mmCIF file of all heavy atoms in Angstrom:
data_model
loop_
_atom_site.group_PDB
_atom_site.id
_atom_site.type_symbol
_atom_site.label_atom_id
_atom_site.label_comp_id
_atom_site.label_asym_id
_atom_site.label_seq_id
_atom_site.Cartn_x
_atom_site.Cartn_y
_atom_site.Cartn_z
ATOM 1 N N ILE O 936 12.125 18.159 16.382
ATOM 2 C CA ILE O 936 12.977 17.089 16.915
ATOM 3 C C ILE O 936 14.463 17.434 16.879
ATOM 4 O O ILE O 936 15.240 16.900 17.665
ATOM 5 C CB ILE O 936 12.737 15.758 16.174
ATOM 6 C CG1 ILE O 936 13.147 15.859 14.703
ATOM 7 C CG2 ILE O 936 11.300 15.314 16.299
ATOM 8 C CD1 ILE O 936 13.063 14.525 13.971
ATOM 9 N N ALA O 937 14.880 18.328 15.968
ATOM 10 C CA ALA O 937 16.313 18.627 15.864
ATOM 11 C C ALA O 937 16.836 19.275 17.132
ATOM 12 O O ALA O 937 17.954 18.980 17.577
ATOM 13 C CB ALA O 937 16.573 19.539 14.660
ATOM 14 N N SER O 938 16.037 20.157 17.733
ATOM 15 C CA SER O 938 16.486 20.847 18.947
ATOM 16 C C SER O 938 16.710 19.871 20.101
ATOM 17 O O SER O 938 17.475 20.156 21.025
ATOM 18 C CB SER O 938 15.452 21.907 19.359
ATOM 19 O OG SER O 938 14.198 21.301 19.622
ATOM 20 N N ILE O 939 16.048 18.722 20.048
ATOM 21 C CA ILE O 939 16.203 17.710 21.102
ATOM 22 C C ILE O 939 17.212 16.650 20.687
ATOM 23 O O ILE O 939 18.085 16.250 21.463
ATOM 24 C CB ILE O 939 14.849 17.037 21.402
ATOM 25 C CG1 ILE O 939 13.784 18.098 21.690
ATOM 26 C CG2 ILE O 939 14.965 16.070 22.558
ATOM 27 C CD1 ILE O 939 12.383 17.540 21.753
ATOM 28 N N TYR O 940 17.114 16.200 19.435
ATOM 29 C CA TYR O 940 17.919 15.062 18.981
ATOM 30 C C TYR O 940 19.390 15.389 18.811
ATOM 31 O O TYR O 940 20.249 14.545 19.078
ATOM 32 C CB TYR O 940 17.351 14.547 17.647
ATOM 33 C CG TYR O 940 16.279 13.499 17.803
ATOM 34 C CD1 TYR O 940 15.363 13.558 18.840
ATOM 35 C CD2 TYR O 940 16.169 12.440 16.899
ATOM 36 C CE1 TYR O 940 14.378 12.617 18.983
ATOM 37 C CE2 TYR O 940 15.178 11.484 17.034
ATOM 38 C CZ TYR O 940 14.285 11.582 18.078
ATOM 39 O OH TYR O 940 13.309 10.646 18.218
ATOM 40 N N VAL O 941 19.709 16.588 18.324
ATOM 41 C CA VAL O 941 21.115 16.897 18.028
ATOM 42 C C VAL O 941 21.975 16.861 19.289
ATOM 43 O O VAL O 941 22.970 16.122 19.338
ATOM 44 C CB VAL O 941 21.236 18.253 17.297
ATOM 45 C CG1 VAL O 941 22.718 18.632 17.140
ATOM 46 C CG2 VAL O 941 20.571 18.174 15.926
ATOM 47 N N PRO O 942 21.649 17.637 20.319
ATOM 48 C CA PRO O 942 22.490 17.538 21.533
ATOM 49 C C PRO O 942 22.432 16.156 22.177
ATOM 50 O O PRO O 942 23.426 15.692 22.747
ATOM 51 C CB PRO O 942 21.886 18.608 22.465
ATOM 52 C CG PRO O 942 20.530 18.899 21.933
ATOM 53 C CD PRO O 942 20.591 18.651 20.471
ATOM 54 N N LEU O 943 21.287 15.482 22.058
ATOM 55 C CA LEU O 943 21.141 14.144 22.635
ATOM 56 C C LEU O 943 22.068 13.156 21.920
ATOM 57 O O LEU O 943 22.791 12.384 22.560
ATOM 58 C CB LEU O 943 19.691 13.698 22.517
ATOM 59 C CG LEU O 943 19.259 12.449 23.300
ATOM 60 C CD1 LEU O 943 19.433 12.674 24.788
ATOM 61 C CD2 LEU O 943 17.805 12.114 22.982
ATOM 62 N N ALA O 944 22.042 13.186 20.559
ATOM 63 C CA ALA O 944 22.873 12.261 19.785
ATOM 64 C C ALA O 944 24.354 12.537 19.986
ATOM 65 O O ALA O 944 25.165 11.616 20.136
ATOM 66 C CB ALA O 944 22.514 12.363 18.305
ATOM 67 N N LEU O 945 24.732 13.817 19.986
ATOM 68 C CA LEU O 945 26.136 14.158 20.212
ATOM 69 C C LEU O 945 26.579 13.731 21.611
ATOM 70 O O LEU O 945 27.721 13.306 21.814
ATOM 71 C CB LEU O 945 26.344 15.665 20.022
ATOM 72 C CG LEU O 945 26.124 16.200 18.600
ATOM 73 C CD1 LEU O 945 26.259 17.718 18.566
ATOM 74 C CD2 LEU O 945 27.090 15.555 17.609
ATOM 75 N N GLY O 946 25.664 13.828 22.571
ATOM 76 C CA GLY O 946 25.964 13.394 23.924
ATOM 77 C C GLY O 946 26.183 11.890 24.020
ATOM 78 O O GLY O 946 26.971 11.417 24.838
ATOM 79 N N PHE O 947 25.500 11.124 23.168
ATOM 80 C CA PHE O 947 25.682 9.673 23.129
ATOM 81 C C PHE O 947 26.967 9.279 22.409
ATOM 82 O O PHE O 947 27.344 8.107 22.407
ATOM 83 C CB PHE O 947 24.503 9.009 22.417
ATOM 84 C CG PHE O 947 23.294 8.822 23.287
ATOM 85 C CD1 PHE O 947 22.048 9.265 22.870
ATOM 86 C CD2 PHE O 947 23.384 8.200 24.525
ATOM 87 C CE1 PHE O 947 20.920 9.100 23.657
ATOM 88 C CE2 PHE O 947 22.273 8.025 25.325
ATOM 89 C CZ PHE O 947 21.032 8.482 24.903
ATOM 90 N N GLY O 948 27.634 10.252 21.777
ATOM 91 C CA GLY O 948 28.879 9.962 21.079
ATOM 92 C C GLY O 948 28.721 9.729 19.593
ATOM 93 O O GLY O 948 29.673 9.286 18.928
ATOM 94 N N PHE O 949 27.538 10.015 19.036
ATOM 95 C CA PHE O 949 27.358 9.884 17.590
ATOM 96 C C PHE O 949 28.087 11.020 16.882
ATOM 97 O O PHE O 949 28.130 12.152 17.377
ATOM 98 C CB PHE O 949 25.868 9.935 17.225
ATOM 99 C CG PHE O 949 25.103 8.699 17.620
ATOM 100 C CD1 PHE O 949 24.211 8.723 18.688
ATOM 101 C CD2 PHE O 949 25.257 7.507 16.924
ATOM 102 C CE1 PHE O 949 23.495 7.597 19.062
ATOM 103 C CE2 PHE O 949 24.556 6.369 17.283
ATOM 104 C CZ PHE O 949 23.679 6.414 18.356
ATOM 105 N N SER O 950 28.628 10.723 15.703
ATOM 106 C CA SER O 950 29.292 11.745 14.902
ATOM 107 C C SER O 950 28.255 12.704 14.323
ATOM 108 O O SER O 950 27.053 12.387 14.296
ATOM 109 C CB SER O 950 30.068 11.080 13.757
ATOM 110 O OG SER O 950 29.158 10.529 12.808
ATOM 111 N N PRO O 951 28.692 13.888 13.839
ATOM 112 C CA PRO O 951 27.745 14.806 13.200
ATOM 113 C C PRO O 951 27.016 14.171 12.012
ATOM 114 O O PRO O 951 25.826 14.427 11.802
ATOM 115 C CB PRO O 951 28.633 15.964 12.748
ATOM 116 C CG PRO O 951 29.766 15.966 13.728
ATOM 117 C CD PRO O 951 30.017 14.517 14.021
ATOM 118 N N LEU O 952 27.716 13.329 11.232
ATOM 119 C CA LEU O 952 27.062 12.663 10.097
ATOM 120 C C LEU O 952 26.002 11.683 10.587
ATOM 121 O O LEU O 952 24.898 11.608 10.024
ATOM 122 C CB LEU O 952 28.106 11.920 9.253
ATOM 123 C CG LEU O 952 29.111 12.770 8.468
ATOM 124 C CD1 LEU O 952 30.055 11.860 7.683
ATOM 125 C CD2 LEU O 952 28.388 13.712 7.511
ATOM 126 N N ALA O 953 26.321 10.937 11.620
ATOM 127 C CA ALA O 953 25.359 9.995 12.183
ATOM 128 C C ALA O 953 24.166 10.735 12.773
ATOM 129 O O ALA O 953 23.014 10.295 12.644
ATOM 130 C CB ALA O 953 26.024 9.132 13.252
ATOM 131 N N THR O 954 24.428 11.866 13.407
ATOM 132 C CA THR O 954 23.344 12.689 13.972
ATOM 133 C C THR O 954 22.428 13.182 12.867
ATOM 134 O O THR O 954 21.193 13.167 13.015
ATOM 135 C CB THR O 954 23.937 13.892 14.737
ATOM 136 O OG1 THR O 954 24.793 13.408 15.773
ATOM 137 C CG2 THR O 954 22.839 14.743 15.321
ATOM 138 N N ALA O 955 23.010 13.611 11.748
ATOM 139 C CA ALA O 955 22.202 14.059 10.607
ATOM 140 C C ALA O 955 21.337 12.928 10.074
ATOM 141 O O ALA O 955 20.161 13.135 9.715
ATOM 142 C CB ALA O 955 23.117 14.591 9.505
ATOM 143 N N ALA O 956 21.895 11.717 10.022
ATOM 144 C CA ALA O 956 21.124 10.563 9.550
ATOM 145 C C ALA O 956 19.948 10.278 10.473
ATOM 146 O O ALA O 956 18.836 9.968 10.009
ATOM 147 C CB ALA O 956 22.029 9.335 9.456
#
Side-chain angles (χ1 to χ4, degrees):
I936 64 174
S938 60
I939 308 170
Y940 271 36
V941 174
L943 192 62
L945 294 176
F947 279 128
F949 288 107
S950 69
L952 291 181
T954 301

